[in-house]
Amino acid sequence: MAISRARRNRMAELGAHIILLAFAVIALFPVLLILINSLKTKKAIFRQPLEFPTSETLDLVGYTTVLQQGNFPLYFWNSLFVTGASLFFILLFGAMAAFALSEYKFRGNRLLGLYMALGIMIPIRLGTVGILRLMVTTDLVNTHWALILVYTAQGLPLAIFILSEFMSTVSSDLKSAGRIDGLSEYSIFFRLVLPLVRPAMATVAVFSMIPVWNDLWFPLILAPAEHTKTLTLGAQVFVGQFTNNWNAILAAMALAIIRCLFFTRSSRASSFGA
Amino acid sequence: MANLKISSLYKSFGAENVLDGIDLNIKSGEFLVLLGPSGCGKSTLLRIMAGLEDESAGDIAIDDKSIAHLPPSKREIAMVFQTYALYPHLSVRGNMELVLKQAGYSKAEIKERVAESARALELDALMDRKPSQLSGGQRQRVAIGRAIVRDPKVFLFDEPLSNLDAALRGQVRLEIARLHQRLSATMVYVTHDQVEAMTLADRIVVMNDGEIQQVGTPRDLYERPANLFVASFIGSPTMNFLQLEKLTENSAQLKDSTQLPVSNKASVIPSNVMLGIRPSHCALHDKAGEGYLKAEVLLEEYLGDTTYVHVELETSEQMVVRENPEIQRQTGDEVYVELGISGVHLFNADTGKRMEVSIVEPETA
Ligand SMILES: Nc1ncnc2c1ncn2[C@@H]1O[C@H](COP(=O)(O)OP(=O)(O)OP(=O)(O)O)[C@@H](O)[C@H]1O
Ligand SMILES: [Mg+2]
């Protein structure tokens, strides 16, 4: 009886793993395709797209173009800096606002929460003209801060919405105990509440990061200068009107993927730590 | 050690009055229990004492100095919560040290105080564990330890035993009683469990709907309840209530026209009077007798050391009578209820207030 149940459990486990593995293969296949094709000659990309590079078809021309034409390490750094800084501010201000909205009773609390939630529904791009004007008058065009400010504003509504939901589940007795023990409101927020909502923070981080990292619109409009170009914008060089430089595009994509893997690993590590 | 004085305290949440004029004088070293049904405002009162909630009106003073304007950490109080509220990321030691660190004590003194509290509560072996690695009883002991390290003037407990199972509850209750003896500190303890209240309290405050119903020793409340609410709230099973037909200067007439030799000193005798008597002051007989009430057995609850017999009178009022467990009764049996005159309480049914009565014993009358 016990043995057969154990065996049945094992079978179920195996089945689940097979399904998950199949799903992983399907999901990872295009990624693999990009990675192997970025290492091949142009002919080989179109003739045998599914084959691994052989000694004849191996060609690193994509990578050399990418690394020579345009300053990809710089684009990379720009993307990284803008995404990282935006993420930092989204999480910091998002969590603080969420705490205030869920913890303190003040006039207009509900209204303010609703106003923040509206931002989830209205795309920030609708305000592009206004934003551009603002950036021009404040002399922020072609700086990282132009992007960081816009992305922070773009990410805050969802962050506040998700985090205030989580903050209201933190035991009020715990906060009361902190107050009696003489912790300031800032300590209660940073030392008691934040560690408890870390999993939610990781979720918000992932959700906020992807659109920022992939965005083409605002870099194109607010910071197209060579020294502030992001990776997504930089890679556009190879997308021509009539011909695409596939080697370079694939190489750029491969680099971006590798980068993304690093990001996901670090955010996963933080959510496991909670 | 300190006395705590609350004067005409009001609290409302929006339009809802949660506390309606509370006056309370807690003596130095006293163990005061706030007892009342769910939602009567006990926790709110405690949180206002702690400074976690602002009062709408009124004042709180410790040792005759108002603390109403002080933040929680400056009130020299400690609080123990129902949900323990231990800091999850800190060890037991960290939990106990935090308040002292915040108050700026020296390292040596922190160490000494924490060690002393740990010894008192037998927490030594657990000092480096995280709260998640402790059982419920251990967690509550840590929470109590965290309260005593600061050596507060007043301890506040908000239903500290509610999350524990029955066996542990008895054990931690004993520990709290011992703690009070040892520290002889002023303690305010909220509960809705009367056993906790009766066993721990020097005095009990019975609350209902944001108002104090009665303040007194457990014995006072049980033997001389000030009104119908307290009479029915204290004691388990609850007191029996019978409507009186007529009350005169020296006799009380029940609905079935039984006369009881009870005299009262009321200058004006109210028309609507309720007689209360506890199950332990009643007795059952098989045969009719002077002043006995005829009744029918509805149900018998056997508890081992006693039996509670539920009966229905001819007036269709129901009563519970405590009886020797050796006697067995069947549903439908005809019995006669004797009311022990010494256990009779009279209440003005319109105001709910207790009426002072004296018993006219047949022999002496
Ligand atoms: N923050 C709040 N906002 C609005 N109403 C509240 C708030 N806190 C408590 N109340 C109301 O005040 C009343 C008293 O609450 P309180 O928590 O003091 O009751 P309690 O006597 O402690 O009950 P219990 O035994 O269930 O803990 C309740 O009706 C509750 O709904
Ligand atoms: Mg309560």
Side-chain angles (χ1 to χ4, degrees):
Chain A
M1 181 64 195
I3 293 169
S4 79
R5 181 176 301 160
R7 185 168 297 157
R8 206 172 318 137
N9 274 346
R10 287 203 70 114
M11 293 297 288
E13 210 172 286
L14 203 69
H17 274 105
I18 288 172
I19 293 170
L20 289 175
L21 276 173
F23 187 73
V25 167
I26 294 170
L28 288 177
F29 184 69
V31 175
L32 187 70
L33 218 54
I34 288 169
L35 288 178
I36 59 178
N37 280 309
S38 70
L39 296 167
K40 295 199 294 201
T41 60
K42 196 162 185 176
K43 265 188 198 140
I45 293 174
F46 288 101
R47 290 225 180 105
Q48 300 105 14
L50 296 181
E51 266 175 29
F52 279 94
T54 62
S55 52
E56 286 148 46
T57 58
L58 182 71
D59 191 350
L60 294 179
V61 66
Y63 287 92
T64 46
T65 332
V66 164
L67 294 179
Q68 277 165 10
Q69 207 185 51
N71 192 349
F72 264 76
L74 177 68
Y75 300 165
F76 219 74
W77 162 247
N78 288 341
S79 272
L80 204 64
F81 179 71
V82 167
T83 309
S86 308
L87 217 54
F88 175 77
F89 289 122
I90 290 173
L91 290 179
L92 179 70
F93 295 133
M96 287 173 109
F99 183 69
L101 285 177
S102 65
E103 178 67 13
Y104 304 122
K105 290 204 180 66
F106 52 90
R107 279 178 81 88
N109 178 320
R110 298 280 294 275
L111 215 62
L112 202 59
L114 208 66
Y115 173 69
M116 294 289 180
L118 269 179
I120 301 172
M121 292 170 252
I122 299 171
I124 193 167
R125 288 181 189 189
L126 289 182
T128 304
V129 175
I131 292 173
L132 182 58
R133 262 199 213 130
L134 193 72
M135 294 300 170
V136 169
T137 40
T138 49
D139 222 5
L140 284 172
V141 174
N142 283 331
T143 63
H144 289 141
W145 287 104
L147 294 177
I148 292 170
L149 288 174
V150 169
Y151 290 143
T152 305
Q154 168 188 318
L156 274 177
L158 191 67
I160 293 173
F161 185 72
I162 295 177
L163 290 176
S164 59
E165 227 23 61
F166 271 81
M167 299 255 179
S168 55
T169 63
V170 173
S171 145
S172 70
D173 281 355
L174 190 66
K175 291 174 264 185
S176 299
R179 289 193 181 109
I180 290 179
D181 281 356
L183 295 181
S184 67
E185 293 301 307
Y186 280 99
S187 303
I188 287 173
F189 172 69
F190 283 112
R191 287 166 64 180
L192 297 185
V193 177
L194 271 197
L196 290 176
V197 297
R198 231 167 20 186
M201 299 279 279
T203 312
V204 169
V206 171
F207 271 102
S208 316
M209 185 198 79
I210 292 166
V212 172
W213 181 263
N214 287 338
D215 191 38
L216 179 60
W217 182 261
F218 285 112
L220 190 62
I221 291 166
L222 297 179
E226 187 61 21
H227 69 281
T228 52
K229 250 184 204 173
T230 60
L231 200 56
T232 346
L233 186 57
Q236 294 303 308
V237 178
F238 308 113
V239 184
Q241 195 173 358
F242 305 108
T243 54
N244 292 343
N245 185 344
W246 284 107
N247 294 81
I249 291 173
L250 286 170
M253 281 167 86
L255 286 173
I257 288 166
I258 293 165
R259 192 66 244 163
C260 257
L261 285 180
F262 272 105
F263 251 123
T264 331
R265 270 184 60 94
S266 53
S267 65
R268 268 176 51 124
S270 74
S271 82
F272 278 139
Chain B
M1 279 230 273
N3 69 316
L4 183 73
K5 189 172 168 151
I6 296 169
S7 21
S8 49
L9 191 79
Y10 290 82
K11 173 71 184 176
S12 50
F13 289 111
E16 191 190 356
N17 282 335
V18 174
L19 294 177
D20 221 358
I22 302 285
D23 284 290
L24 204 54
N25 216 335
I26 305 169
K27 294 177 215 142
S28 181
E30 184 173 35
F31 199 118
L32 188 90
V33 172
L34 298 176
L35 180 67
S38 192
C40 70
K42 309 180 293 288
S43 298
T44 307
L45 179 55
L46 207 66
R47 291 174 61 81
I48 291 176
M49 289 183 200
L52 296 167
E53 205 87 65
D54 288 330
E55 64 278 352
S56 305
D59 193 32
I60 306 174
I62 289 184
D63 285 339
D64 300 321
K65 274 201 288 291
S66 172
I67 56 164
H69 59 285
L70 292 176
S73 57
K74 296 276 188 299
R75 293 190 174 197
E76 298 185 71
I77 46 107
M79 190 158 172
V80 176
F81 298 87
Q82 177 179 352
T83 57
Y84 322 128
L86 299 177
Y87 307 121
H89 57 293
L90 294 180
S91 65
V92 170
R93 187 188 308 281
N95 266 281
M96 291 169 74
E97 280 175 349
L98 185 83
V99 59
L100 300 178
K101 280 186 187 159
Q102 289 301 119
Y105 283 90
S106 72
K107 275 223 169 70
E109 184 159 8
I110 291 177
K111 202 166 166 202
E112 187 185 331
R113 280 192 177 211
V114 169
E116 191 184 324
S117 311
R119 207 173 325 116
L121 289 164
E122 292 166 29
L123 291 170
D124 301 280
L126 310 174
M127 291 309 275
D128 295 312
R129 294 213 204 155
K130 289 276 169 67
S132 58
Q133 298 165 317
L134 300 176
S135 73
Q138 289 169 333
R139 281 181 213 184
Q140 201 52 293
R141 287 224 306 274
V142 175
I144 294 170
R146 186 175 65 178
I148 62 176
V149 283
R150 64 195 309 172
D151 195 17
K153 286 186 170 167
V154 179
F155 284 88
L156 306 175
F157 294 87
D158 193 354
E159 307 201 23
L161 309 184
S162 301
N163 280 13
L164 303 178
D165 65 49
L168 264 179
R169 209 175 290 175
Q171 194 186 324
V172 180
R173 194 176 74 206
L174 220 64
E175 237 158 85
I176 293 176
R178 279 218 312 270
L179 189 73
H180 179 242
Q181 268 177 5
R182 194 164 53 82
L183 302 175
S184 48
T186 312
M187 294 186 173
V188 183
Y189 185 106
V190 164
T191 181
H192 55 232
D193 182 313
Q194 5 171 337
V195 179
E196 269 169 44
M198 301 290 257
T199 50
L200 287 171
D202 293 326
R203 280 193 307 160
I204 298 177
V205 177
V206 180
M207 288 180 62
N208 188 33
D209 272 344
E211 286 178 3
I212 291 182
Q213 301 293 321
Q214 187 174 4
V215 185
T217 63
R219 194 172 279 274
D220 278 345
L221 298 192
Y222 190 81
E223 293 176 359
R224 294 172 48 78
N227 55 37
L228 278 172
F229 177 82
V230 178
S232 60
F233 193 75
I234 302 280
S236 164
T238 58
M239 189 183 271
N240 297 301
F241 293 103
L242 300 172
Q243 181 78 43
L244 283 192
E245 184 66 42
K246 204 166 112 215
L247 183 68
T248 62
E249 235 165 75
N250 46 26
S251 89
Q253 188 185 339
L254 288 170
K255 278 224 162 127
D256 65 351
S257 62
T258 312
Q259 299 272 347
L260 295 173
V262 182
S263 86
N264 74 90
K265 295 169 208 130
S267 47
V268 183
I269 294 175
S271 54
N272 194 359
V273 179
M274 197 67 96
L275 178 149
I277 186 162
R278 296 199 184 276
S280 49
H281 283 111
C282 304
L284 291 183
H285 299 280
D286 294 326
K287 297 212 180 65
E290 175 71 31
Y292 292 1
L293 309 176
K294 189 167 173 228
E296 189 185 306
V297 175
L298 291 176
L299 178 77
E300 191 189 59
E301 283 180 322
Y302 173 72
L303 296 179
D305 54 348
T306 51
T307 300
Y308 290 108
V309 185
H310 295 245
V311 301
E312 185 173 281
L313 304 183
E314 282 181 317
T315 54
S316 72
E317 287 165 308
Q318 294 189 359
M319 291 184 74
V320 182
V321 179
R322 193 172 103 172
E323 200 174 36
N324 189 333
E326 278 155 31
I327 305 167
Q328 289 187 20
R329 308 218 177 250
Q330 305 296 321
T331 302
D333 280 358
E334 191 179 293
V335 289
Y336 295 86
V337 185
E338 180 191 356
L339 306 182
I341 297 300
S342 63
V344 164
H345 307 263
L346 293 183
F347 300 95
N348 180 335
D350 295 321
T351 62
K353 289 250 160 58
R354 174 188 185 83
M355 298 170 58
E356 288 311 322
V357 290
S358 58
I359 289 85
V360 191
E361 292 288 355
E363 300 84 12
T364 57

